[in-house]
């Protein structure tokens, strides 16, 4: 029995309704230009961080399409026809356009974009896509679904991480915390709660634009593969890192009656460096009031830090103290105050208390931007620097989002039909205005330091744009960027505020 040909993913990764759009465009269509724009924000942002295009181009427009071009064209066309006819019923879509693309041997598209790591204002395009050969006008919006599916998560997670970084930078500055610690202060715990490992890799790489703390190992492979660092940069810039840490299974295996011995064994196992120990498997308050005082001298003698990790309850009340708990109780004092009571610390130049460097805390359950801000504000009110705690940022942050978090959409705004350019736009009378698109060809320029959209542009206007060519006809026309470059670009924008 002959093996059935599997359709290359690149050619079938689209919405089914797009399969016959090639025939639906007006006869004589030779050019289509579309752009991707963040149209709105559900979280009050006025901009979105643009990230993920280089990875998309390398993976899909090159790696995945290479599989299509390498496959036997007759087998691919037969499989395509079978899929379409089974899916839509007998129709006239045909396979001539698929065969022509295969014969061409490269993807005849041009991608023009703002630099990755740019904070793109709402309703300003980040990316423009157009065909480079007239017979492949249909391919521009054929890839819309794929492009949107790949970019919305990377842009959204990059924007979310940027907001965390802004909160933590500002809190550290206010409370005199060590600015060099902030890149480690939001640690990516999200992988197990993401849609799949692929989504975790994309989102995890976006997190690393603003932080270096991560337990999402595949994100490092993603960065290395699609945003390769120069050899010299690899030696000097940390992309991502983590520490030795326990989980509940480790603590449970040690037994509830001998949890102190488990702590002692862990301190023996890790005589130096950072070790994080989940501490609420049974009784967090017993750990803080009974075990840690007994271990105080050992902890302070270590060449490293013991990090206490609560994992349940209200994060702000656990860390900062529950104001409704009995006066003087551990619950009323909270984790940070209890650690100060046992280990002490110092008062920094801004007048805020910092725990002894041998002890710390991390909270990684149900952290949100709002809770993060609340916790550092409550710590400051109690006289503690914000850098006394690390936040484990998980899928509660990175999975509770959608493409509509920033209203990210790809829309055609210009076409050439019978040699005449046509400005395309949508402006639904039933809409609030959010779905109103730009008209015609677009450009983006700075006006008083703000990226601003200019539409209905002629060729000269398009050329005078910050949306610059990145990739054309199967290869990059601008040098691919290292991850460190994208990271620094975003950091520079934060630092200017």
């Amino acid at each position: 029995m002959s093996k059935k040909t599997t359709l290359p993913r690149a050619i079938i990764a689209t919405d089914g309704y797009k399969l016959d759009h090639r025939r639906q465009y007006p006869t004589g269509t030779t050019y289509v230009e579309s752009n991707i724009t963040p149209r709105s924000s559900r979280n009050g942002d006025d901009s979105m961080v643009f990230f993920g295009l280089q990875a998309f181009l390398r993976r899909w427009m090159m790696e995945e399409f290479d599989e299509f071009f390498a496959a036997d064209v007759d087998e691919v066309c037969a499989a395509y026809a079978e899929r379409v006819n089974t899916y839509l019923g007998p129709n006239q879509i045909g396979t001539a356009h698929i065969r022509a693309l295969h014969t061409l041997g490269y993807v005849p598209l041009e991608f023009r974009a703002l630099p990755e790591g740019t904070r793109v204002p709402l309703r300003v395009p980040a990316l423009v896509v157009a065909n480079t050969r007239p017979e492949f006008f249909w391919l521009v919006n054929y890839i819309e679904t794929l492009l949107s599916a790949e970019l919305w998560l990377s842009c959204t997670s990059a924007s979310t991480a940027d907001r965390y970084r802004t909160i933590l930078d500002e809190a550290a500055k206010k409370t005199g915390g060590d600015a060099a610690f902030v890149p480690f202060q939001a640690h990516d715990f999200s992988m197990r709660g993401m849609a799949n490992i692929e989504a975790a890799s994309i989102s995890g790489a976006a997190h690393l634009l603003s932080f270096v703390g991560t337990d999402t190992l595949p994100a490092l492979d993603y960065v290395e593969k699609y945003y390769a660092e120069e050899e010299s940069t690899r030696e000097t810039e940390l992309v991502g890192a983590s520490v030795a840490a326990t989980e509940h299974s480790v603590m449970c295996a040690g037994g509830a009656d001998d949890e102190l011995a488990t702590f002692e064994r862990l301190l023996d196992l890790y005589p130096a460096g950072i070790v994080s120990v989940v501490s609420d498997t049974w009784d967090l308050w017993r750990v803080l009031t009974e075990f840690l005082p007994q271990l105080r001298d050992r902890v302070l003698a270590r060449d490293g830090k013991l990090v206490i990790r609560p994992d349940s309850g209200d994060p702000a009340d656990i860390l900062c103290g529950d104001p409704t708990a009995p006066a003087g109780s551990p619950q009323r004092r909270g984790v940070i105050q209890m650690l100060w009571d046992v280990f002490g610390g110092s008062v920094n130049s801004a007048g805020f208390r910092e725990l002894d460097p041998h002890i710390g805390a991390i909270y990684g359950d149900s952290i949100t931007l709002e809770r993060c801000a609340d916790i550092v504000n409550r710590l400051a009110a109690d006289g503690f620097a914000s850098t006394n705690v690390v936040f484990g940022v998980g899928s509660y942050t990175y999975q509770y989002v959608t493409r509509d978090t920033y209203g990210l959409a790809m829309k055609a705004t210009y076409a050439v039909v019978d040699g005449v350019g046509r400005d395309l736009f949508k402006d639904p009378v039933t809409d609030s205005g959010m779905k109103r698109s730009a008209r015609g060809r677009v450009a983006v320029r700075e006006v008083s330091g703000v990226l601003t959209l200019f539409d209905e542009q002629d060729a000269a206007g398009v050329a005078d744009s910050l949306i610059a060519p990145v990739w054309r006809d199967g290869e990059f026309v601008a040098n691919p960027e290292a991850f460190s470059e994208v990271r620094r670009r975003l950091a520079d924008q934060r630092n200017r505020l």
Side-chain angles (χ1 to χ4, degrees), residues 14-44:
T14 189
D15 280 318
Y17 80 109
K18 287 183 174 290
L19 294 172
D20 206 20
H21 285 179
R22 176 182 59 87
R23 296 193 306 146
Q24 295 175 14
Y25 281 93
T27 301
T29 301
T30 56
Y31 183 82
V32 173
E33 186 171 297
S34 296
N35 66 71
I36 284 186
T37 301
R39 302 180 297 181
S40 61
S41 172
R42 289 183 171 180
N43 53 29

Side-chain angles (χ1 to χ4, degrees), residues 273-289:
I274 301 173
V275 57
S276 173
V277 180
V278 63
S279 302
D280 70 340
T281 300
W282 296 289
D283 190 343
L284 171 67
W285 310 117
R286 186 183 182 197
V287 169
L288 293 166
T289 60

Side-chain angles (χ1 to χ4, degrees), residues 2 11 37 71 75 87 94 156 162 165 174 181 252 279 320 326 329 341 353 357 400 405 427 457 483 491:
S2 61
I11 202 63
T37 301
E75 292 182 0
Y87 179 65
T156 302
D162 181 42
R165 183 61 187 266
K174 173 184 175 182
F181 180 73
C252 289
S279 302
C320 307
S329 66
D341 292 344
R353 291 179 287 177
Y400 276 56
T405 299
D427 188 8
Q457 297 292 289
F483 192 73

Side-chain angles (χ1 to χ4, degrees), residues 95 187 192 319 463:
T95 60
H187 194 97
R192 70 190 59 192
L319 290 170

Side-chain angles (χ1 to χ4, degrees), residues 10 72 169 175 219 234 254 321 347 362 431 436 440 449 461:
D72 181 272
D169 277 341
T175 62
R234 289 182 190 175
V347 176
I362 182 172
D431 180 55
R436 183 187 302 119

Side-chain angles (χ1 to χ4, degrees), residues 280 284-285 310-319 322 363-367 371 375:
D280 70 340
L284 171 67
W285 310 117
D311 195 43
S312 55
D314 180 276
D317 286 347
I318 296 296
L319 290 170
D322 181 355
Y363 201 104
D365 182 62
S366 301
I367 296 298
R371 283 175 175 160
I375 288 166

Side-chain angles (χ1 to χ4, degrees), residues 335-354:
V335 170
I336 302 302
Q337 180 65 60
M338 294 294 295
L339 293 178
W340 176 270
D341 292 344
V342 176
F343 297 97
S346 60
V347 176
N348 64 30
S349 60
F352 290 85
R353 291 179 287 177
E354 296 185 4

